[in-house]
Structure formats: structure tokens, C-alpha cells
Amino acid sequence: MKTICIMNLKGGVGKTVTAINLAAVLAAQHGKRVLLIDADHQGNTSTFFGADQDGTTLREVLLGEAEPCWPESVQRTAYENLDILPASMSLAELDAAPKPEYAQCLWRLREFLLAVAEDDTYDFAIIDMPPAFSLSARAALVAADEVIVPIKLDAFSIDGMAELLRQIASMRKVNERLTLAGVLITMWRNVDVVNQAEKILRDSGVPVFSTTVRRTDIVDECTFQREPLYLYSPRSAASVDYRRLAEEYLERG
């Protein structure tokens, strides 16, 4: 099982949309068994899939109070091959945990996923990360194999990415497996400033996915309808792009 964090410290870059749609496409169109983990206390991914946020959540996993199996901890979604470990606002409370407890929490998601992997239930665990370097984010990076960084092409996002890459590099001290799978350009549109920023990014030496996700209002619509793009609007630009992203990722091996 490969564990992928979808992460950016800046909000509004398409992080949650990417986690939802990459997971959905891998499950529905490639037959991959996917566990989607919501590590953001706002719980948008959990709400999207109608998960029970009053039951076992990532908070209980980090506290060592959850069993690594369904139905005790992991919930089914309405979609075949796609399960979810939800989050709730209570997850944020752990950031104030005393230092010894905080340190223990950092390793529990990794332990949980190692136990899950032993049962060979999933091919991928995809983690929707918070826009902050919180306890849940650190725990996810300790557990992860790779990071995908969605980015909207503006100066603030590019500047912030440098700090994110430093944080990822620092986490390799405790998780030597952790690598950057690539930067994913989201909300792309064919205007000069975006094209110039894309060239700067692709020339920077940072791995960047060939696929870009085009900007479309359909993305906002699908969040209201709570349907992945491949179902809500299969021919829309973003839907096509997320299918291409899944194919590119799988081709990379």
C-alpha cells in the first residue's frame, strides 16, 4: 500500500478537490482499493462523502483509541473500492496536547497504516492534509511515502511552496521514505501571467506533473452536489484532467 499526502500550506489551491477526485478516479476507473484519510479538522472531505464525524475519526487514531479495520474505524463510502477515515473539529484540540502525548501521537497514524497494510485491504491511502503544519499534518508525513503539492500559479503560492519543501525535507529525518511525487498545477488558465509562472516553476528543478488541472466552475458545482467530477461532469475540463493525472501517476509507477 502506498500512502500519498495531498498537501499545501496555502489554502484555496485545490487540495481537497484533488484528494477527492484522485481517490475517486483511482477507485472507479482503475479498480484500485483506496482509503481516503481526512487530516484536516475542517472535515470537508468527510462531509463530501457523508461520513459519520461523530464516530471514530483520525483523532481517535492519533490517540491510540482506534482499531485498524472496518467497520470499527474505517467507513464505507457510496463508491466501490473507496473507504474513508473521517475528521472532525475535535482534531484541532490535539495541537495543544502536552509534549509527551504529542510525541506519541506523531507515530500512531503510521502504526495504524502499517497494520492496515498487513491485511492487504488497500492499494493506496490518500491523505487530505490541512493548510498548516499541525499535529495531524506531521503525523501524516511520518506515515507517508509521497507528497503531491497542488499549486495555484501566483507569487504567494510559489513563495509558500519553498517553505513547504523545506518542511518536507525536515520530515525525512524521521521518515526517510518520504519523497515529493510532484507539484500539480491547478486552476490553470491560458493567460500570460499563468503561462509565465508555469515556465518559472517547470524550470526550477522541482518535479512537476505534466498534467495541469484547468480552471472551471464545474469544480465548485460538484462540491455542492457532493459527487466526484467523473460522475458529475465527466466531459468537463477538470474531470478530464484528473483522469489524466491518475493515469500519469500510475504510469510513473
Side-chain angles (χ1 to χ4, degrees):
M1 183 180 74
K2 182 169 285 187
T3 301
I4 311 163
C5 290
I6 311 297
M7 185 177 191
N8 195 314
L9 297 177
K10 190 176 187 302
V13 298
K15 172 181 59 60
T16 296
V17 168
T18 296
I20 288 170
N21 286 286
L22 178 59
V25 169
L26 287 173
Q29 302 190 332
H30 295 276
K32 303 299 182 182
R33 301 161 300 167
V34 181
L35 173 59
L36 185 56
I37 300 173
D38 194 347
D40 188 346
H41 66 273
Q42 298 174 91
N44 291 331
T45 295
S46 304
T47 302
F48 184 93
F49 286 104
D52 177 10
Q53 294 171 275
D54 294 323
T56 299
T57 67
L58 180 59
R59 177 180 183 274
E60 284 68 45
V61 170
L62 296 182
L63 289 173
E65 299 173 355
E67 294 295 327
C69 58
W70 179 89
E72 284 80 2
S73 302
V74 175
Q75 300 178 31
R76 301 287 194 227
T77 70
Y79 304 93
E80 187 177 359
N81 294 327
L82 182 55
D83 298 342
I84 187 167
L85 174 63
S88 68
M89 288 298 294
S90 64
L91 183 62
E93 298 170 2
L94 297 185
D95 289 323
K99 190 172 182 179
E101 185 176 342
Y102 189 104
Q104 292 174 350
C105 289
L106 283 177
W107 293 93
R108 287 192 175 124
L109 180 58
R110 179 172 181 168
E111 294 166 359
F112 181 91
L113 291 177
L114 285 172
V116 168
E118 287 180 359
D119 291 335
D120 193 29
T121 305
Y122 302 105
D123 300 300
F124 293 97
I126 296 180
I127 307 178
D128 180 20
M129 299 283 276
F133 208 56
S134 61
L135 171 57
S136 62
R138 292 171 184 268
L141 291 172
V142 168
D145 299 299
E146 296 181 333
V147 180
I148 293 176
V149 180
I151 186 170
K152 176 177 175 288
L153 288 174
D154 58 39
F156 298 129
S157 294
I158 290 176
D159 291 345
M161 187 181 69
E163 175 58 27
L164 174 58
L165 295 180
R166 283 192 290 270
Q167 297 286 3
I168 293 171
S170 71
M171 290 302 297
R172 292 197 186 102
K173 297 175 184 177
V174 293
N175 179 8
E176 62 184 14
R177 306 184 325 278
L178 188 65
T179 60
L180 176 63
V183 176
L184 173 67
I185 297 170
T186 60
M187 305 182 200
W188 184 91
R189 53 200 177 102
N190 190 19
V191 296
D192 287 345
V193 65
V194 171
N195 289 326
Q196 291 167 9
E198 181 178 357
K199 185 177 187 307
I200 292 171
L201 180 61
R202 292 192 183 278
D203 290 345
S204 68
V206 174
V208 182
F209 285 98
S210 298
T211 302
T212 59
V213 180
R214 287 166 286 180
R215 180 179 177 180
T216 170
D217 292 340
I218 293 294
V219 170
D220 294 332
E221 291 179 21
C222 86
T223 63
F224 282 103
Q225 296 299 319
R226 297 183 183 177
E227 275 194 339
L229 283 164
Y230 82 89
L231 281 177
Y232 180 72
S233 182
R235 296 183 181 180
S236 66
S239 181
V240 170
D241 295 339
Y242 277 116
R243 294 200 296 273
R244 288 175 176 167
L245 172 65
E247 290 169 1
E248 180 180 353
Y249 181 84
L250 292 173
E251 286 171 2
R252 288 184 175 192

